[in-house]
Amino acid sequence: MSVTIVLTDAVAAALIEAASNPLEVAGVLLAAVHQNSDGDIRLLVRHHSMVDPAAYRERDRNHMAITPEGYVPALAEAEALGAMAIWFHTHPGLSGTPLPSLADESVDEAIAELFRIRSGSPYYGTLIVSPRETEFAFSGTLQPEEGYGPIRSIDRLWIVGDRWRLMSAINAEDRPPSPIFDRNVRAFGGDIQRALGDLRIAVVGCGGTGSAVAEQLVRLGVRDLLLIDADHLSASNVTRVYGSTPADVGRPKAGILRDHLNAIAPDLCCEAIDAMITLEPTARRLGDRDLVFGCTDDNAGRLVLSRLATYMLTPVIDIGVLLSSNAAGLLMGIDGRITILSPGSACLVCRDRIDLARAGAEVLTPTERKRLADEGYAPALGGTEPAVVAFTTAVAAAAVSELLERLIGYGPDPRPSEILLRIHEREISINRAAPRPGHYCDPASKKLGFSEATPFLEQVWPKI
């Protein structure tokens, strides 16, 4: 069981700036608490508030004293947001150690109950950061009141924005990468290799694109995967689904892929779910994931994934492949799309990448769909589309490259949030899109990190 703080890059930038100050700096982070059934907890930071300079009564590089006006207003804001409050402060200097001193522990003991009462949350958190040449080092705790569990260390910090960074607490065990990843380490270093091994990733859709994505992730060093697909393998799937054989026809795609990946990496933690992502219990299983690859063709499923970046602060890399034919059935176009959804960026709806009418029809029962179709209200659903392993694999590789770019930090600045591949014309184009004003993905809507919304993701779910 672990505790992860998830930050947008805007909040992370504020922490980096505070850590670089030669004097101690303090503030309050307001976070939603998301707990999974397995006990893992994610603290989704929704807002931050630094102490006003006028509220410091005393302040140097090793000590500070603050009036209540420096943090009480933030606690009222936490109560309004339904968030917990994390007391944040710095230990300055590149050689600073971000571990609590006796004085820090005394302060925590003095203010923890006040923070809980004023915020209305049973939780109080601490976060200490010290600057480093790049980024910062940290330690932290989650301190529930009696009856809500034991005090736990904050183990991981996941920063999501234009770049993605996974950091471990300063007192975490040092685990050098396995020698089998020597070629990777020579390319992007041990820290990125460790991050790949620690990331918790989901792949939704285990067909031609999803199986290619998952196999590349495992060969890169990812060791925690959740696979979701409700389909079972057909004979025509064997031509492009990695790991499948004719003997697997009729088996769940997710299970076939899990077995294949475990053969490649016996130390892989991999769960396969044979269910639709459009069902609420399945969608909730994505709550502990750091990142999701969307490899599903259906519009309703992508409508669910599109909300994760906003409500759960979970980046999504959504992938589409389209082969176009002429009237004679000959291939005319090979198009791939990779859309990167990070908190604060435009969702798939704002980008017009989802057919909402078809999404609505896809979640209807066959009887309901036929009735509406007979009345002329339901759009026709898509039939079997052409698919070729060379093209699904090419787009899958480009999508995995986007993950590497955001972890390593290469590529243009600012980075595009969508890549369009016109393979038949050997052309690539990129774009960035902003949310539509007032839409849920617009940061002004204050939905970022709104994990406990009711209904889940503020979406209508079909009854099971």
Side-chain angles (χ1 to χ4, degrees):
M1 295 187 293
S2 65
V3 180
T4 303
I5 289 186
V6 187
L7 306 173
T8 62
D9 53 0
V11 178
L15 299 192
I16 292 172
E17 180 181 356
S20 67
N21 194 309
L23 306 179
E24 281 204 29
V25 175
V28 182
L29 308 181
L30 313 183
V33 181
H34 181 83
Q35 182 162 11
N36 284 346
S37 57
D38 60 3
D40 284 345
I41 293 178
R42 297 173 80 80
L43 308 178
L44 311 179
V45 176
R46 303 193 61 194
H47 188 61
H48 71 284
S49 176
M50 293 300 177
V51 170
D52 189 299
Y56 289 99
R57 290 189 305 198
E58 301 172 22
R59 189 184 185 198
D60 58 32
R61 62 175 292 120
N62 298 310
H63 170 74
M64 63 183 170
I66 302 169
T67 65
E69 288 74 19
Y71 50 82
V72 168
L75 304 182
E77 189 174 1
E79 183 177 27
L81 288 174
M84 66 164 291
I86 301 172
W87 177 238
F88 153 80
H89 73 280
T90 64
H91 285 180
L94 291 175
S95 59
T97 303
L99 291 171
S101 64
L102 292 177
D104 292 331
E105 293 174 351
S106 176
V107 169
D108 290 336
E109 187 174 345
I111 68 174
E113 196 59 23
L114 171 67
F115 270 48
R116 292 194 190 100
I117 292 173
R118 291 296 186 94
S119 67
S121 168
Y123 296 98
Y124 165 72
T126 65
L127 182 69
I128 305 173
V129 305
S130 292
R132 293 295 182 262
E133 291 294 342
T134 60
E135 307 289 356
F136 53 80
F138 78 94
S139 75
T141 59
L142 178 67
Q143 303 182 14
E145 69 180 4
E146 189 175 354
Y148 285 84
I151 296 176
R152 294 169 60 173
S153 296
I154 294 172
D155 313 288
R156 311 161 80 237
L157 196 151
W158 177 225
I159 301 172
V160 291
D162 191 52
R163 279 196 61 197
W164 303 333
R165 288 100 82 193
L166 182 64
M167 303 164 62
S168 297
I170 189 170
N171 47 4
E173 179 186 1
D174 185 25
R175 294 174 290 107
S178 166
I180 69 171
F181 299 114
D182 174 65
R183 298 295 187 96
N184 291 357
V185 172
R186 291 173 187 270
F188 42 65
D191 288 345
I192 299 299
Q193 189 63 52
R194 274 188 289 273
L196 285 167
D198 290 340
L199 279 174
R200 299 161 184 173
I201 296 180
V203 178
V204 178
C206 300
T209 309
S211 63
V213 164
E215 178 155 346
Q216 290 175 60
L217 292 177
V218 170
R219 293 191 186 279
L220 276 170
V222 172
R223 285 298 178 266
D224 192 329
L225 272 182
L226 174 64
L227 308 174
I228 298 176
D229 197 317
D231 287 345
H232 290 204
L233 192 80
S234 67
S236 68
N237 292 149
V238 179
T239 57
R240 65 186 180 283
V241 174
Y242 284 77
S244 68
T245 70
D248 293 315
V249 171
R251 289 186 59 205
K253 287 181 179 176
I256 295 168
L257 185 56
R258 176 201 55 207
D259 295 347
H260 174 59
L261 298 177
N262 277 328
I264 296 171
D267 58 334
L268 173 68
C269 175
C270 185
E271 182 182 3
I273 297 180
D274 179 20
M276 298 175 65
I277 193 63
T278 50
L279 299 178
E280 183 178 353
T282 314
R284 283 185 177 275
R285 292 299 311 276
L286 298 175
D288 69 345
R289 297 292 103 181
D290 297 315
L291 171 74
V292 174
F293 279 86
C295 306
T296 179
D297 293 331
D298 68 289
N299 289 267
R302 290 168 50 236
L303 204 56
V304 173
L305 300 183
S306 185
R307 291 178 172 250
L308 290 176
T310 297
Y311 289 84
M312 303 301 295
L313 303 185
T314 305
V316 175
I317 299 179
D318 187 70
I319 307 168
V321 183
L322 176 65
L323 304 186
S324 305
S325 303
N326 63 14
L330 298 177
L331 190 62
M332 297 295 291
I334 310 164
D335 295 281
R337 175 189 55 78
I338 300 144
T339 306
I340 297 89
L341 309 176
S342 287
S345 68
C347 69
L348 293 173
V349 175
C350 288
R351 292 174 176 275
D352 292 323
R353 297 304 185 197
I354 294 179
D355 186 327
L356 295 177
R358 287 183 61 170
E362 286 166 358
V363 296
L364 295 174
T365 65
T367 302
E368 291 173 329
R369 191 181 307 139
K370 183 178 185 310
R371 178 179 62 78
L372 290 176
D374 291 343
E375 296 172 358
Y377 294 118
L381 298 183
T384 303
E385 302 290 342
V388 176
V389 65
F391 308 135
T392 51
T393 301
V395 180
V400 174
S401 295
E402 290 301 313
L403 165 63
L404 293 177
E405 174 175 335
R406 279 158 177 75
L407 289 176
I408 298 170
Y410 63 83
D413 183 16
R415 291 178 178 76
S417 53
E418 188 169 73
I419 298 91
L420 302 175
L421 308 172
R422 288 183 288 278
I423 297 173
H424 56 293
E425 296 175 346
R426 293 171 175 76
E427 290 183 355
I428 300 175
S429 63
I430 58 177
N431 65 67
R432 289 176 63 90
R436 295 173 186 167
H439 201 238
Y440 69 78
C441 56
D442 180 358
S445 71
K446 298 187 177 181
K447 303 291 187 185
L448 287 177
F450 192 27
S451 67
E452 298 307 308
T454 303
F456 183 56
L457 301 181
E458 293 192 317
Q459 173 166 310
V460 177
W461 298 94
K463 295 181 180 178
I464 301 175

